[in-house]
Amino acid sequence: MKNQSICLAPGPSELYFTAEDHLKKAFREGIPSLSHRSSSFERHYQTVVDGLRQLLNLPTDYTVAFTSSATEIWERSIQSMVDERCHHFVNGAFSKRYFEIAKLCGKEAVASIMPDGSGFTSAEACEGSPEVIALTHNETSTGVSMPMGPIHQMRFKNPTALVIVDAVSSLPYPDFDYTKVDSVFFSVQKGFGLPAGLGVWLFNSRCVEKAQHLQSQGKLSGTYHTLLSLADYAKKNQTPSTPNVLGIYLLGKVIQDMLQKGIQAIRKETEYKSAVLYQALEQSSVLKPFVKDATLRSRTVIVADAGNERDRVMNVLRQIGFEPGEGYGAYKKSHLRFANFPTHSREQIERLADAIASLS
Ligand SMILES: *Cc1c(COP(=O)(O)O)cnc(C)c1O
């Protein structure tokens, strides 16, 4: 039994409740010393691929590749799929960073920008025929989520573009139709409840074709990883460089546990817990939901505005065993962020909501 508090920061967050047992088993099985060129490693890679296909309903036309982080995928996706132009939908600090990285990669990046706490409710036809449209499903900085409708309509409105979705702080919760987007990515220290240090990049054959086209023109940049090098090795369940073998093993195990529970149960529970939390925030005289429009509220990262009461509320919650996340950036001292990931139980979230309701 651990006696630490329950981590509600959006990432790194509380470990999935089975992670510690899997970690101990991994050490007994010698996973930290396992060669990434062994057939045993290839089987662990395949376990993640099969598991994600089932858990997320991922089509067979998608490749599953591993990187060091989601931040690496921001950069690799731009380097491997954009020659000149990309368009970013920016509604907070994470989507803004993706946009900035595209500019640093030397691309003509254009952004549609919304103020903090608001977001995008419809898909638009972007000007200038961007090659990539970058969306952030869940803005971890402000707790704004992009509804599924506009995500799924974006390629319909922009048929020549590749639509890439950052779902780092929401997966496995969202039920994407992967045939209506081209690439989705995440890292494991958020909703999957694992130690940080592994990015997971899902991309379809349109992405591979685009990267091949750039390569044939001598325009594919990127050093030790490109989309094509990752895709080539992925065909053999391998990676170009030595990856986080332990992280890949643990991800395979946690996905199996999630499949056992059932993705529908995970989604329903996520919705229930977020409803309980938002209701407590709505009724509180001390905290308020930062996102006013209920249709844009994230189910997985719930952000509360505490004004100048933040330190007091933080202390109350710490005393009953919760460690909330601080606000992001400029909101560091006035917001609290509550992760609502699969490992956070109904009982924990109900207890948190009760504590919020009794604040005065
Ligand atoms: C955390 C986060 C990232 C960055 O993930 P790293 O694993 O730290 O690279 C990117 N996008 C979003 C939305 C995030 O929440």
Side-chain angles (χ1 to χ4, degrees):
M1 210 35 212
K2 71 172 199 147
N3 50 14
Q4 282 163 322
S5 54
I6 297 154
C7 180
L8 295 168
S13 194
E14 184 73 14
L15 291 187
Y16 199 67
F17 61 95
T18 58
E20 192 176 331
D21 286 344
H22 292 312
L23 192 63
K24 287 182 181 151
K25 191 146 179 275
F27 275 71
R28 289 200 300 271
E29 290 179 7
I31 301 295
S33 312
L34 182 67
S35 164
H36 63 300
R37 300 294 176 227
S38 65
S39 58
S40 178
F41 171 77
E42 290 170 7
R43 281 196 300 277
H44 294 305
Y45 193 133
Q46 188 65 42
T47 301
V48 173
V49 175
D50 293 344
L52 285 176
R53 290 209 195 288
Q54 234 186 308
L55 189 73
L56 306 179
N57 198 18
L58 192 66
T60 48
D61 140 81
Y62 268 77
T63 298
V64 176
F66 298 111
T67 63
S68 65
S69 64
T71 302
E72 187 191 340
I73 301 170
W74 280 340
E75 183 176 287
R76 301 292 169 226
S77 59
I78 299 298
Q79 289 173 328
S80 291
M81 292 184 275
V82 181
D83 177 13
E84 292 178 342
R85 272 184 289 280
C86 52
H87 192 108
H88 293 250
F89 284 79
V90 173
N91 57 2
F94 286 85
S95 42
K96 180 156 176 255
R97 186 68 193 143
Y98 196 177
F99 168 54
E100 282 166 355
I101 282 178
K103 288 190 286 185
L104 289 168
C105 288
K107 310 302 176 187
E108 278 178 50
V110 174
S112 302
I113 302 179
M114 288 302 251
D116 289 349
S118 65
F120 301 97
T121 51
S122 61
E124 57 181 85
C126 301
E127 277 177 39
S129 305
E131 299 154 87
V132 156
I133 294 178
L135 310 176
T136 301
H137 174 246
N138 199 67
E139 241 311 335
T140 321
S141 58
T142 57
V144 167
S145 192
M146 188 160 184
M148 288 305 209
I151 291 177
H152 289 153
Q153 280 155 26
M154 205 56 88
R155 206 177 59 201
F156 180 70
K157 300 255 177 161
N158 301 273
T160 59
L162 297 166
V163 173
I164 305 182
V165 185
D166 173 337
V168 175
S169 59
S170 55
L171 277 174
Y173 166 68
D175 189 8
F176 294 117
D177 179 344
Y178 288 85
T179 66
K180 295 196 165 80
V181 298
D182 298 290
S183 177
V184 175
F185 60 89
F186 63 94
S187 45
V188 298
Q189 74 275 19
K190 296 182 177 165
F192 285 86
L194 288 170
L198 182 68
V200 182
W201 190 5
L202 316 174
F203 52 82
N204 67 11
S205 52
R206 291 179 89 221
C207 295
V208 176
E209 282 154 24
K210 174 70 193 214
Q212 282 167 339
H213 177 70
L214 292 186
Q215 187 180 49
S216 70
Q217 300 189 317
K219 287 174 172 167
L220 187 73
S221 63
T223 54
Y224 79 118
H225 283 162
T226 66
L227 185 140
L228 291 183
S229 68
L230 290 165
D232 277 349
Y233 278 89
K235 281 185 202 142
K236 306 167 287 190
N237 287 323
Q238 288 205 4
T239 54
S241 60
T242 318
N244 182 345
V245 177
L246 179 60
I248 292 167
Y249 169 92
L250 293 173
L251 180 60
K253 296 294 180 195
V254 161
I255 290 170
Q256 290 308 313
D257 295 336
M258 289 179 169
L259 284 168
Q260 198 104 63
K261 174 158 183 157
I263 189 65
Q264 291 317 328
I266 290 173
R267 288 186 177 133
K268 271 212 178 109
E269 199 170 276
T270 302
E271 283 163 11
Y272 167 79
K273 291 180 295 165
S274 74
V276 167
L277 259 186
Y278 280 118
Q279 192 184 29
L281 294 178
E282 294 272 15
Q283 291 171 356
S284 170
S285 56
V286 181
L287 299 179
K288 291 188 297 290
F290 179 59
V291 181
K292 298 287 166 269
D293 181 344
T295 61
L296 294 175
R297 282 180 186 162
S298 167
R299 307 279 198 176
T300 54
V301 179
I302 288 114
V303 179
D305 188 352
N308 49 25
E309 296 267 47
R310 204 216 63 166
D311 289 351
R312 182 171 74 86
V313 176
M314 186 81 123
N315 283 332
V316 170
L317 297 179
R318 276 181 178 154
Q319 268 160 24
I320 58 164
F322 292 109
E323 188 60 39
E326 296 192 303
Y328 193 90
Y331 307 104
K332 188 177 171 71
K333 296 274 170 234
S334 59
H335 284 184
L336 289 170
R337 289 182 298 161
F338 303 113
N340 175 30
F341 293 149
T343 202
H344 298 113
S345 69
R346 279 171 191 259
E347 294 69 27
Q348 287 165 358
I349 298 291
E350 284 167 355
R351 200 155 63 77
L352 175 66
D354 286 347
I356 289 171
S358 54
L359 288 168
S360 56

PDB file of all heavy atoms in Angstrom, residues 10-11 68-74 94-95 136-141 166-170 185-190 196-199 301, ligand 1:
ATOM      1  N   PRO A  10      -1.747  16.767 -14.564  1.00  0.00           N
ATOM      2  CA  PRO A  10      -2.052  16.122 -15.849  1.00  0.00           C
ATOM      3  C   PRO A  10      -0.874  15.365 -16.453  1.00  0.00           C
ATOM      4  O   PRO A  10      -1.070  14.649 -17.420  1.00  0.00           O
ATOM      5  CB  PRO A  10      -2.507  17.281 -16.735  1.00  0.00           C
ATOM      6  CG  PRO A  10      -2.108  18.522 -16.054  1.00  0.00           C
ATOM      7  CD  PRO A  10      -1.843  18.226 -14.620  1.00  0.00           C
ATOM      8  N   GLY A  11       0.309  15.500 -15.943  1.00  0.00           N
ATOM      9  CA  GLY A  11       1.385  14.680 -16.474  1.00  0.00           C
ATOM     10  C   GLY A  11       2.748  15.222 -16.106  1.00  0.00           C
ATOM     11  O   GLY A  11       2.958  16.422 -16.241  1.00  0.00           O
ATOM     12  N   SER A  68      10.825   9.415 -28.521  1.00  0.00           N
ATOM     13  CA  SER A  68      11.205   9.680 -27.136  1.00  0.00           C
ATOM     14  C   SER A  68      10.127  10.453 -26.382  1.00  0.00           C
ATOM     15  O   SER A  68      10.055  10.385 -25.164  1.00  0.00           O
ATOM     16  CB  SER A  68      12.519  10.450 -27.095  1.00  0.00           C
ATOM     17  OG  SER A  68      12.332  11.722 -27.666  1.00  0.00           O
ATOM     18  N   SER A  69       9.290  11.190 -27.102  1.00  0.00           N
ATOM     19  CA  SER A  69       8.280  12.024 -26.445  1.00  0.00           C
ATOM     20  C   SER A  69       7.287  12.507 -27.486  1.00  0.00           C
ATOM     21  O   SER A  69       7.511  12.344 -28.693  1.00  0.00           O
ATOM     22  CB  SER A  69       8.949  13.247 -25.801  1.00  0.00           C
ATOM     23  OG  SER A  69       9.515  14.056 -26.829  1.00  0.00           O
ATOM     24  N   ALA A  70       6.221  13.132 -27.033  1.00  0.00           N
ATOM     25  CA  ALA A  70       5.287  13.767 -27.961  1.00  0.00           C
ATOM     26  C   ALA A  70       5.922  15.009 -28.589  1.00  0.00           C
ATOM     27  O   ALA A  70       5.670  15.332 -29.748  1.00  0.00           O
ATOM     28  CB  ALA A  70       3.999  14.141 -27.239  1.00  0.00           C
ATOM     29  N   THR A  71       6.753  15.679 -27.832  1.00  0.00           N
ATOM     30  CA  THR A  71       7.438  16.859 -28.365  1.00  0.00           C
ATOM     31  C   THR A  71       8.261  16.472 -29.602  1.00  0.00           C
ATOM     32  O   THR A  71       8.308  17.213 -30.584  1.00  0.00           O
ATOM     33  CB  THR A  71       8.345  17.484 -27.278  1.00  0.00           C
ATOM     34  OG1 THR A  71       7.527  17.823 -26.154  1.00  0.00           O
ATOM     35  CG2 THR A  71       9.047  18.722 -27.781  1.00  0.00           C
ATOM     36  N   GLU A  72       8.886  15.302 -29.545  1.00  0.00           N
ATOM     37  CA  GLU A  72       9.619  14.843 -30.733  1.00  0.00           C
ATOM     38  C   GLU A  72       8.659  14.664 -31.913  1.00  0.00           C
ATOM     39  O   GLU A  72       9.002  14.992 -33.049  1.00  0.00           O
ATOM     40  CB  GLU A  72      10.362  13.520 -30.450  1.00  0.00           C
ATOM     41  CG  GLU A  72      11.248  13.167 -31.645  1.00  0.00           C
ATOM     42  CD  GLU A  72      11.836  11.758 -31.625  1.00  0.00           C
ATOM     43  OE1 GLU A  72      11.908  11.116 -30.577  1.00  0.00           O
ATOM     44  OE2 GLU A  72      12.223  11.319 -32.730  1.00  0.00           O
ATOM     45  N   ILE A  73       7.460  14.187 -31.656  1.00  0.00           N
ATOM     46  CA  ILE A  73       6.505  13.969 -32.750  1.00  0.00           C
ATOM     47  C   ILE A  73       6.058  15.302 -33.348  1.00  0.00           C
ATOM     48  O   ILE A  73       5.847  15.410 -34.556  1.00  0.00           O
ATOM     49  CB  ILE A  73       5.308  13.116 -32.274  1.00  0.00           C
ATOM     50  CG1 ILE A  73       5.835  11.759 -31.762  1.00  0.00           C
ATOM     51  CG2 ILE A  73       4.291  12.902 -33.409  1.00  0.00           C
ATOM     52  CD1 ILE A  73       4.794  10.913 -31.031  1.00  0.00           C
ATOM     53  N   TRP A  74       5.931  16.343 -32.513  1.00  0.00           N
ATOM     54  CA  TRP A  74       5.641  17.675 -33.068  1.00  0.00           C
ATOM     55  C   TRP A  74       6.648  17.978 -34.186  1.00  0.00           C
ATOM     56  O   TRP A  74       6.282  18.367 -35.290  1.00  0.00           O
ATOM     57  CB  TRP A  74       5.778  18.751 -31.979  1.00  0.00           C
ATOM     58  CG  TRP A  74       4.601  18.900 -31.051  1.00  0.00           C
ATOM     59  CD1 TRP A  74       3.319  18.498 -31.258  1.00  0.00           C
ATOM     60  CD2 TRP A  74       4.613  19.557 -29.766  1.00  0.00           C
ATOM     61  NE1 TRP A  74       2.535  18.843 -30.187  1.00  0.00           N
ATOM     62  CE2 TRP A  74       3.297  19.490 -29.258  1.00  0.00           C
ATOM     63  CE3 TRP A  74       5.602  20.180 -29.007  1.00  0.00           C
ATOM     64  CZ2 TRP A  74       2.939  20.040 -28.019  1.00  0.00           C
ATOM     65  CZ3 TRP A  74       5.249  20.716 -27.776  1.00  0.00           C
ATOM     66  CH2 TRP A  74       3.929  20.654 -27.280  1.00  0.00           C
ATOM     67  N   PHE A  94      -0.026  24.420 -25.463  1.00  0.00           N
ATOM     68  CA  PHE A  94       0.538  23.244 -26.132  1.00  0.00           C
ATOM     69  C   PHE A  94       0.364  23.357 -27.652  1.00  0.00           C
ATOM     70  O   PHE A  94       1.303  23.119 -28.417  1.00  0.00           O
ATOM     71  CB  PHE A  94      -0.074  21.957 -25.572  1.00  0.00           C
ATOM     72  CG  PHE A  94       0.450  21.640 -24.197  1.00  0.00           C
ATOM     73  CD1 PHE A  94      -0.129  22.212 -23.066  1.00  0.00           C
ATOM     74  CD2 PHE A  94       1.553  20.821 -24.014  1.00  0.00           C
ATOM     75  CE1 PHE A  94       0.361  21.954 -21.793  1.00  0.00           C
ATOM     76  CE2 PHE A  94       2.064  20.556 -22.745  1.00  0.00           C
ATOM     77  CZ  PHE A  94       1.460  21.127 -21.632  1.00  0.00           C
ATOM     78  N   SER A  95      -0.829  23.729 -28.088  1.00  0.00           N
ATOM     79  CA  SER A  95      -1.043  23.901 -29.529  1.00  0.00           C
ATOM     80  C   SER A  95      -0.163  25.044 -30.063  1.00  0.00           C
ATOM     81  O   SER A  95       0.310  24.999 -31.199  1.00  0.00           O
ATOM     82  CB  SER A  95      -2.521  24.169 -29.823  1.00  0.00           C
ATOM     83  OG  SER A  95      -3.082  25.063 -28.900  1.00  0.00           O
ATOM     84  N   THR A 136      -5.143  20.161 -31.729  1.00  0.00           N
ATOM     85  CA  THR A 136      -4.869  19.644 -30.396  1.00  0.00           C
ATOM     86  C   THR A 136      -6.205  19.278 -29.771  1.00  0.00           C
ATOM     87  O   THR A 136      -7.037  20.161 -29.531  1.00  0.00           O
ATOM     88  CB  THR A 136      -4.111  20.692 -29.553  1.00  0.00           C
ATOM     89  OG1 THR A 136      -2.887  20.981 -30.244  1.00  0.00           O
ATOM     90  CG2 THR A 136      -3.802  20.186 -28.158  1.00  0.00           C
ATOM     91  N   HIS A 137      -6.432  17.978 -29.599  1.00  0.00           N
ATOM     92  CA  HIS A 137      -7.745  17.556 -29.092  1.00  0.00           C
ATOM     93  C   HIS A 137      -7.994  18.076 -27.690  1.00  0.00           C
ATOM     94  O   HIS A 137      -9.094  18.501 -27.354  1.00  0.00           O
ATOM     95  CB  HIS A 137      -7.870  16.025 -29.100  1.00  0.00           C
ATOM     96  CG  HIS A 137      -9.127  15.548 -28.451  1.00  0.00           C
ATOM     97  ND1 HIS A 137      -9.150  14.824 -27.298  1.00  0.00           N
ATOM     98  CD2 HIS A 137     -10.421  15.767 -28.775  1.00  0.00           C
ATOM     99  CE1 HIS A 137     -10.411  14.598 -26.947  1.00  0.00           C
ATOM    100  NE2 HIS A 137     -11.192  15.156 -27.833  1.00  0.00           N
ATOM    101  N   ASN A 138      -6.950  18.063 -26.869  1.00  0.00           N
ATOM    102  CA  ASN A 138      -7.143  18.432 -25.472  1.00  0.00           C
ATOM    103  C   ASN A 138      -6.033  19.382 -25.036  1.00  0.00           C
ATOM    104  O   ASN A 138      -4.875  18.987 -24.956  1.00  0.00           O
ATOM    105  CB  ASN A 138      -7.104  17.149 -24.620  1.00  0.00           C
ATOM    106  CG  ASN A 138      -7.734  17.347 -23.276  1.00  0.00           C
ATOM    107  OD1 ASN A 138      -8.940  17.552 -23.182  1.00  0.00           O
ATOM    108  ND2 ASN A 138      -6.938  17.296 -22.227  1.00  0.00           N
ATOM    109  N   GLU A 139      -6.397  20.642 -24.809  1.00  0.00           N
ATOM    110  CA  GLU A 139      -5.414  21.636 -24.398  1.00  0.00           C
ATOM    111  C   GLU A 139      -5.144  21.488 -22.901  1.00  0.00           C
ATOM    112  O   GLU A 139      -5.928  21.933 -22.065  1.00  0.00           O
ATOM    113  CB  GLU A 139      -5.901  23.048 -24.715  1.00  0.00           C
ATOM    114  CG  GLU A 139      -5.042  23.828 -25.669  1.00  0.00           C
ATOM    115  CD  GLU A 139      -3.542  23.853 -25.383  1.00  0.00           C
ATOM    116  OE1 GLU A 139      -3.130  23.684 -24.224  1.00  0.00           O
ATOM    117  OE2 GLU A 139      -2.777  24.061 -26.333  1.00  0.00           O
ATOM    118  N   THR A 140      -4.033  20.868 -22.596  1.00  0.00           N
ATOM    119  CA  THR A 140      -3.672  20.562 -21.218  1.00  0.00           C
ATOM    120  C   THR A 140      -3.470  21.825 -20.382  1.00  0.00           C
ATOM    121  O   THR A 140      -3.595  21.809 -19.167  1.00  0.00           O
ATOM    122  CB  THR A 140      -2.372  19.718 -21.230  1.00  0.00           C
ATOM    123  OG1 THR A 140      -2.460  18.805 -22.324  1.00  0.00           O
ATOM    124  CG2 THR A 140      -2.186  18.953 -19.954  1.00  0.00           C
ATOM    125  N   SER A 141      -3.172  22.950 -21.047  1.00  0.00           N
ATOM    126  CA  SER A 141      -2.897  24.185 -20.308  1.00  0.00           C
ATOM    127  C   SER A 141      -4.166  24.817 -19.754  1.00  0.00           C
ATOM    128  O   SER A 141      -4.143  25.381 -18.664  1.00  0.00           O
ATOM    129  CB  SER A 141      -2.164  25.186 -21.208  1.00  0.00           C
ATOM    130  OG  SER A 141      -2.928  25.469 -22.358  1.00  0.00           O
ATOM    131  N   ASP A 166      -2.987  16.013 -31.993  1.00  0.00           N
ATOM    132  CA  ASP A 166      -2.293  15.828 -30.717  1.00  0.00           C
ATOM    133  C   ASP A 166      -3.366  15.428 -29.697  1.00  0.00           C
ATOM    134  O   ASP A 166      -4.245  16.225 -29.378  1.00  0.00           O
ATOM    135  CB  ASP A 166      -1.613  17.153 -30.332  1.00  0.00           C
ATOM    136  CG  ASP A 166      -0.985  17.133 -28.930  1.00  0.00           C
ATOM    137  OD1 ASP A 166      -1.407  16.322 -28.088  1.00  0.00           O
ATOM    138  OD2 ASP A 166      -0.097  17.978 -28.691  1.00  0.00           O
ATOM    139  N   ALA A 167      -3.303  14.178 -29.239  1.00  0.00           N
ATOM    140  CA  ALA A 167      -4.273  13.705 -28.234  1.00  0.00           C
ATOM    141  C   ALA A 167      -3.516  13.228 -26.995  1.00  0.00           C
ATOM    142  O   ALA A 167      -3.902  12.253 -26.347  1.00  0.00           O
ATOM    143  CB  ALA A 167      -5.142  12.598 -28.823  1.00  0.00           C
ATOM    144  N   VAL A 168      -2.447  13.960 -26.677  1.00  0.00           N
ATOM    145  CA  VAL A 168      -1.532  13.515 -25.623  1.00  0.00           C
ATOM    146  C   VAL A 168      -2.232  13.407 -24.270  1.00  0.00           C
ATOM    147  O   VAL A 168      -2.024  12.443 -23.545  1.00  0.00           O
ATOM    148  CB  VAL A 168      -0.311  14.464 -25.518  1.00  0.00           C
ATOM    149  CG1 VAL A 168       0.567  14.066 -24.334  1.00  0.00           C
ATOM    150  CG2 VAL A 168       0.505  14.446 -26.798  1.00  0.00           C
ATOM    151  N   SER A 169      -3.068  14.369 -23.928  1.00  0.00           N
ATOM    152  CA  SER A 169      -3.646  14.344 -22.581  1.00  0.00           C
ATOM    153  C   SER A 169      -5.103  13.883 -22.576  1.00  0.00           C
ATOM    154  O   SER A 169      -5.819  14.137 -21.611  1.00  0.00           O
ATOM    155  CB  SER A 169      -3.502  15.716 -21.917  1.00  0.00           C
ATOM    156  OG  SER A 169      -4.154  16.699 -22.679  1.00  0.00           O
ATOM    157  N   SER A 170      -5.537  13.207 -23.644  1.00  0.00           N
ATOM    158  CA  SER A 170      -6.901  12.682 -23.634  1.00  0.00           C
ATOM    159  C   SER A 170      -6.984  11.188 -23.916  1.00  0.00           C
ATOM    160  O   SER A 170      -7.843  10.513 -23.363  1.00  0.00           O
ATOM    161  CB  SER A 170      -7.786  13.450 -24.623  1.00  0.00           C
ATOM    162  OG  SER A 170      -7.226  13.444 -25.914  1.00  0.00           O
ATOM    163  N   PHE A 185      -1.310  11.234 -32.023  1.00  0.00           N
ATOM    164  CA  PHE A 185      -0.173  10.826 -31.190  1.00  0.00           C
ATOM    165  C   PHE A 185      -0.395  11.143 -29.715  1.00  0.00           C
ATOM    166  O   PHE A 185      -1.247  11.956 -29.357  1.00  0.00           O
ATOM    167  CB  PHE A 185       1.130  11.468 -31.692  1.00  0.00           C
ATOM    168  CG  PHE A 185       1.143  12.974 -31.686  1.00  0.00           C
ATOM    169  CD1 PHE A 185       1.563  13.682 -30.578  1.00  0.00           C
ATOM    170  CD2 PHE A 185       0.725  13.690 -32.801  1.00  0.00           C
ATOM    171  CE1 PHE A 185       1.585  15.075 -30.570  1.00  0.00           C
ATOM    172  CE2 PHE A 185       0.737  15.085 -32.798  1.00  0.00           C
ATOM    173  CZ  PHE A 185       1.169  15.773 -31.687  1.00  0.00           C
ATOM    174  N   PHE A 186       0.380  10.447 -28.883  1.00  0.00           N
ATOM    175  CA  PHE A 186       0.292  10.665 -27.430  1.00  0.00           C
ATOM    176  C   PHE A 186       1.620  10.285 -26.791  1.00  0.00           C
ATOM    177  O   PHE A 186       2.495   9.704 -27.436  1.00  0.00           O
ATOM    178  CB  PHE A 186      -0.862   9.858 -26.816  1.00  0.00           C
ATOM    179  CG  PHE A 186      -0.749   8.358 -26.924  1.00  0.00           C
ATOM    180  CD1 PHE A 186      -0.199   7.617 -25.892  1.00  0.00           C
ATOM    181  CD2 PHE A 186      -1.218   7.681 -28.044  1.00  0.00           C
ATOM    182  CE1 PHE A 186      -0.106   6.223 -25.968  1.00  0.00           C
ATOM    183  CE2 PHE A 186      -1.127   6.291 -28.140  1.00  0.00           C
ATOM    184  CZ  PHE A 186      -0.571   5.566 -27.110  1.00  0.00           C
ATOM    185  N   SER A 187       1.770  10.657 -25.519  1.00  0.00           N
ATOM    186  CA  SER A 187       2.889  10.119 -24.738  1.00  0.00           C
ATOM    187  C   SER A 187       2.289   9.448 -23.509  1.00  0.00           C
ATOM    188  O   SER A 187       1.146   9.694 -23.145  1.00  0.00           O
ATOM    189  CB  SER A 187       3.930  11.193 -24.407  1.00  0.00           C
ATOM    190  OG  SER A 187       3.357  12.383 -23.970  1.00  0.00           O
ATOM    191  N   VAL A 188       3.073   8.570 -22.873  1.00  0.00           N
ATOM    192  CA  VAL A 188       2.469   7.600 -21.953  1.00  0.00           C
ATOM    193  C   VAL A 188       2.264   8.078 -20.517  1.00  0.00           C
ATOM    194  O   VAL A 188       1.606   7.404 -19.732  1.00  0.00           O
ATOM    195  CB  VAL A 188       3.293   6.284 -21.927  1.00  0.00           C
ATOM    196  CG1 VAL A 188       3.309   5.630 -23.293  1.00  0.00           C
ATOM    197  CG2 VAL A 188       4.721   6.550 -21.429  1.00  0.00           C
ATOM    198  N   GLN A 189       2.819   9.248 -20.172  1.00  0.00           N
ATOM    199  CA  GLN A 189       2.775   9.663 -18.755  1.00  0.00           C
ATOM    200  C   GLN A 189       1.480  10.366 -18.381  1.00  0.00           C
ATOM    201  O   GLN A 189       1.332  10.877 -17.292  1.00  0.00           O
ATOM    202  CB  GLN A 189       3.985  10.555 -18.424  1.00  0.00           C
ATOM    203  CG  GLN A 189       3.950  11.962 -18.973  1.00  0.00           C
ATOM    204  CD  GLN A 189       4.462  12.068 -20.406  1.00  0.00           C
ATOM    205  OE1 GLN A 189       4.526  11.072 -21.118  1.00  0.00           O
ATOM    206  NE2 GLN A 189       4.807  13.274 -20.845  1.00  0.00           N
ATOM    207  N   LYS A 190       0.523  10.409 -19.324  1.00  0.00           N
ATOM    208  CA  LYS A 190      -0.756  11.065 -19.033  1.00  0.00           C
ATOM    209  C   LYS A 190      -1.832   9.990 -18.871  1.00  0.00           C
ATOM    210  O   LYS A 190      -1.821   9.265 -17.893  1.00  0.00           O
ATOM    211  CB  LYS A 190      -1.018  12.121 -20.083  1.00  0.00           C
ATOM    212  CG  LYS A 190       0.083  13.190 -19.936  1.00  0.00           C
ATOM    213  CD  LYS A 190       0.034  14.366 -20.825  1.00  0.00           C
ATOM    214  CE  LYS A 190       1.182  15.298 -20.429  1.00  0.00           C
ATOM    215  NZ  LYS A 190       1.469  16.303 -21.419  1.00  0.00           N
ATOM    216  N   ALA A 196       7.258   8.635 -17.643  1.00  0.00           N
ATOM    217  CA  ALA A 196       7.490   9.399 -18.870  1.00  0.00           C
ATOM    218  C   ALA A 196       8.658   8.834 -19.667  1.00  0.00           C
ATOM    219  O   ALA A 196       9.469   8.060 -19.141  1.00  0.00           O
ATOM    220  CB  ALA A 196       7.773  10.850 -18.513  1.00  0.00           C
ATOM    221  N   GLY A 197       8.738   9.213 -20.937  1.00  0.00           N
ATOM    222  CA  GLY A 197       9.888   8.837 -21.748  1.00  0.00           C
ATOM    223  C   GLY A 197       9.535   7.975 -22.942  1.00  0.00           C
ATOM    224  O   GLY A 197      10.375   7.247 -23.466  1.00  0.00           O
ATOM    225  N   LEU A 198       8.285   8.049 -23.404  1.00  0.00           N
ATOM    226  CA  LEU A 198       7.891   7.289 -24.590  1.00  0.00           C
ATOM    227  C   LEU A 198       6.765   8.030 -25.304  1.00  0.00           C
ATOM    228  O   LEU A 198       5.732   8.334 -24.697  1.00  0.00           O
ATOM    229  CB  LEU A 198       7.414   5.885 -24.185  1.00  0.00           C
ATOM    230  CG  LEU A 198       7.007   4.943 -25.328  1.00  0.00           C
ATOM    231  CD1 LEU A 198       8.221   4.554 -26.172  1.00  0.00           C
ATOM    232  CD2 LEU A 198       6.335   3.680 -24.779  1.00  0.00           C
ATOM    233  N   GLY A 199       6.987   8.348 -26.572  1.00  0.00           N
ATOM    234  CA  GLY A 199       5.946   8.932 -27.407  1.00  0.00           C
ATOM    235  C   GLY A 199       5.421   7.856 -28.350  1.00  0.00           C
ATOM    236  O   GLY A 199       6.178   6.983 -28.779  1.00  0.00           O
ATOM    237  N   VAL A 301      -8.879  16.686 -18.425  1.00  0.00           N
ATOM    238  CA  VAL A 301      -8.090  17.662 -17.656  1.00  0.00           C
ATOM    239  C   VAL A 301      -9.049  18.789 -17.278  1.00  0.00           C
ATOM    240  O   VAL A 301      -9.432  19.599 -18.123  1.00  0.00           O
ATOM    241  CB  VAL A 301      -6.885  18.215 -18.442  1.00  0.00           C
ATOM    242  CG1 VAL A 301      -6.116  19.235 -17.597  1.00  0.00           C
ATOM    243  CG2 VAL A 301      -5.944  17.095 -18.875  1.00  0.00           C
TER     244      VAL A 301
HETATM  245  C1  LIG B   1       2.228  16.889 -22.322  1.00  0.00           C
HETATM  246  C2  LIG B   1       1.812  17.317 -23.671  1.00  0.00           C
HETATM  247  C3  LIG B   1       2.702  17.339 -24.754  1.00  0.00           C
HETATM  248  C4  LIG B   1       4.166  17.037 -24.607  1.00  0.00           C
HETATM  249  O1  LIG B   1       4.394  15.721 -24.211  1.00  0.00           O
HETATM  250  P1  LIG B   1       5.901  15.265 -23.899  1.00  0.00           P
HETATM  251  O2  LIG B   1       5.777  13.803 -23.659  1.00  0.00           O
HETATM  252  O3  LIG B   1       6.334  16.039 -22.693  1.00  0.00           O
HETATM  253  O4  LIG B   1       6.735  15.600 -25.062  1.00  0.00           O
HETATM  254  C5  LIG B   1       2.209  17.679 -25.993  1.00  0.00           C
HETATM  255  N1  LIG B   1       0.912  18.006 -26.176  1.00  0.00           N
HETATM  256  C6  LIG B   1       0.031  18.008 -25.151  1.00  0.00           C
HETATM  257  C7  LIG B   1      -1.386  18.386 -25.414  1.00  0.00           C
HETATM  258  C8  LIG B   1       0.446  17.658 -23.870  1.00  0.00           C
HETATM  259  O5  LIG B   1      -0.434  17.662 -22.855  1.00  0.00           O
END
